[in-house]
Amino acid sequence: MDRNGKVLVTGAAGMVGRALVVRLRRDYSTVVGLTRDECDLEDRAAVRRVFTEMKPDYVFHVAAKVGGIKANMSDPVAFLQSNLLSQTHVIESSHAAGVKKFLFLGSSCIYPREIPQPMREDSFLKGPLEPTNEGYAIAKIAGIRLTQYYHRQFGMKVSIPLPCNIYGPGDSFDLEHCHVLSALVKRFVDARDSGAKEVTLWGTGSARREFIYLDDVVEGITFAMTKTDTPEILNLGSGTDFSIKELAQMVAELVGFNGGLAWDTTKPDGMPRKCLDVTKLKALGFETKTAMPDGIRRVIRDYEAKPMGERK
Ligand SMILES: NC(=O)c1ccc[n+]([C@@H]2O[C@H](COP(=O)([O-])OP(=O)(O)OC[C@H]3O[C@@H](n4cnc5c(N)ncnc54)[C@H](OP(=O)(O)O)[C@@H]3O)[C@@H](O)[C@H]2O)c1
């Protein structure tokens, strides 16, 4: 990437987009973070206008409608439709603007439910998806393919990293929408502060998940865009997974919650295990740096720093 090129990051008010803009501004002179207030990406004409006016050289498409199992299950239409529309508009406008390189941020959710773990890139499209977040996954799969087709048909240079679960400061703590780690931090800090005797969590606690800390994912995205030159998907993770039970115990201990833990087994676990094979990433020269307890401590501090009335 040319240091004087114009860089556009979509989803810049979100957890990843905000951190990515800060990271890129260290190396690039013109980095524009696009937020929903400035442009609703579902509005094709509005996206065209932004791209025509700005003429970006490099685009990081980070914006997406994202959420946990609950939100995905209750509103699959929005997860599929909103993401299909916004990513299509950004990809076609990037091509029309003649960008030098385009990055589509995928997700480990695109992998089929029943595949060998850890999940290798060649398992893509090899089986049925996990039903609880199928709409979101289908949208991401369509985004990956459209990005690859623009590469194949028009020669657009692209990069497609697939992060595992991301956690870090700046995530939402609204239980209706937030990710698993922020939800655990909120639940345990609130329980500690209210003197609750027990915390009940969804599922059996046996599902295994892999996490990547925000600073590491932002470094990994920058690495994928600047140091790799392939339209193939690239797993972006730590390569280490934990059961939700292990994770809950880790968060409870770091928070200082001494009560009990109960499991609502009438609620779904989602995929039994989701861990990325990061052999390809490591061979290219990238590894994550943040140990899980260190990252969790930073999320706890982020939540505790919020005034009581704004803890959501
Ligand atoms: N967080 C994870 O665990 C994880 C894991 C793998 C991949 N990813 C990917 O990482 C990216 C960023 O995720 P995140 O965790 O940072 O989510 P986030 O905090 O919710 O940020 C996403 C941002 O995209 C914006 N956005 C969504 N639809 C839009 C639209 N139609 N027009 C304009 N802006 C729109 C959102 O604005 P509003 O808030 O106004 O809707 C939000 O600011 C996503 O592509 C996601 O799929 C995330």
Side-chain angles (χ1 to χ4, degrees):
M1 275 173 69
D2 171 5
R3 283 177 182 262
N4 295 315
K6 283 189 215 162
V7 183
L8 179 66
V9 177
T10 65
M15 176 175 69
V16 176
R18 204 166 38 225
L20 183 62
V21 167
V22 172
R23 164 66 188 85
L24 291 170
R25 282 188 178 148
R26 291 203 327 246
D27 290 342
Y28 302 95
S29 50
T30 311
V31 180
V32 176
L34 195 63
T35 66
R36 184 190 286 276
D37 287 350
E38 292 150 341
C39 177
D40 180 351
L41 302 175
E42 288 181 46
D43 180 343
R44 188 179 191 210
V47 176
R48 272 296 168 106
R49 253 191 324 271
V50 166
F51 277 73
T52 308
E53 276 165 24
M54 185 188 164
K55 296 189 182 60
D57 296 300
Y58 305 100
V59 173
F60 291 76
H61 180 49
V62 174
K65 180 172 173 57
V66 304
I69 291 189
K70 199 173 170 189
N72 267 276
M73 286 173 69
S74 62
D75 197 5
V77 168
F79 280 88
L80 179 55
Q81 188 166 306
S82 167
N83 287 327
L84 279 179
L85 288 172
S86 54
Q87 69 201 19
T88 303
H89 298 156
V90 173
I91 295 168
E92 65 169 8
S93 287
S94 295
H95 166 63
V99 299
K100 293 182 179 148
K101 196 161 180 184
F102 172 81
L103 180 137
F104 181 79
L105 195 59
S107 163
S108 60
C109 291
I110 56 106
Y111 285 113
R113 183 182 159 91
E114 310 283 345
I115 49 164
Q117 298 282 338
M119 304 179 289
R120 289 158 41 120
E121 285 89 347
D122 57 13
S123 292
F124 183 43
L125 290 177
K126 295 277 166 62
L129 299 165
E130 157 63 32
T132 49
N133 58 10
E134 192 188 70
Y136 171 75
I138 288 178
K140 285 284 181 190
I141 290 169
I144 291 169
R145 274 297 190 242
L146 192 60
T147 301
Q148 292 175 330
Y149 292 163
Y150 268 93
H151 167 79
R152 193 202 296 169
Q153 200 169 326
F154 302 112
M156 185 160 86
K157 284 197 173 174
V158 301
S159 174
I160 312 176
L162 307 183
C164 61
N165 291 291
I166 303 165
Y167 74 106
D171 194 8
S172 156
F173 288 101
D174 174 350
L175 289 176
E176 292 295 316
H177 303 287
C178 67
H179 299 98
V180 58
L181 207 126
S182 305
L184 289 174
V185 166
K186 177 179 172 55
R187 297 293 307 279
F188 285 114
V189 171
D190 289 357
R192 179 199 66 195
D193 293 351
S194 68
K197 299 223 168 350
E198 192 172 75
V199 167
T200 302
L201 300 173
W202 269 36
T204 63
S206 64
R208 299 188 69 81
R209 294 288 180 270
E210 174 196 8
F211 293 85
I212 184 167
Y213 186 65
L214 186 57
D215 293 2
D216 286 326
V217 87
V218 159
E219 262 332 301
I221 292 168
T222 310
F223 177 87
M225 184 69 152
T226 54
K227 301 278 186 339
T228 70
D229 212 1
T230 162
E232 302 307 322
I233 54 175
L234 177 66
N235 287 344
L236 175 53
S238 61
T240 308
D241 61 344
F242 301 86
S243 74
I244 298 297
K245 195 175 208 166
E246 286 165 344
L247 199 69
Q249 283 161 348
M250 203 188 301
V251 175
E253 198 182 314
L254 291 168
V255 161
F257 170 72
N258 299 317
L261 199 53
W263 298 93
D264 179 356
T265 55
T266 63
K267 296 291 195 301
D269 276 329
M271 248 168 95
R273 186 177 179 210
K274 262 172 65 175
C275 185
L276 293 172
D277 181 315
V278 289
T279 309
K280 224 167 129 181
L281 183 71
K282 282 189 178 171
L284 287 164
F286 184 84
E287 282 192 47
T288 58
K289 292 199 175 96
T290 314
M292 199 75 203
D294 294 340
I296 294 175
R297 275 190 202 96
R298 287 177 225 166
V299 179
I300 294 171
R301 278 203 294 275
D302 185 42
Y303 185 59
E304 287 177 336
K306 289 181 191 296
M308 284 293 180
E310 290 171 28
R311 287 191 170 184
K312 59 179 182 148

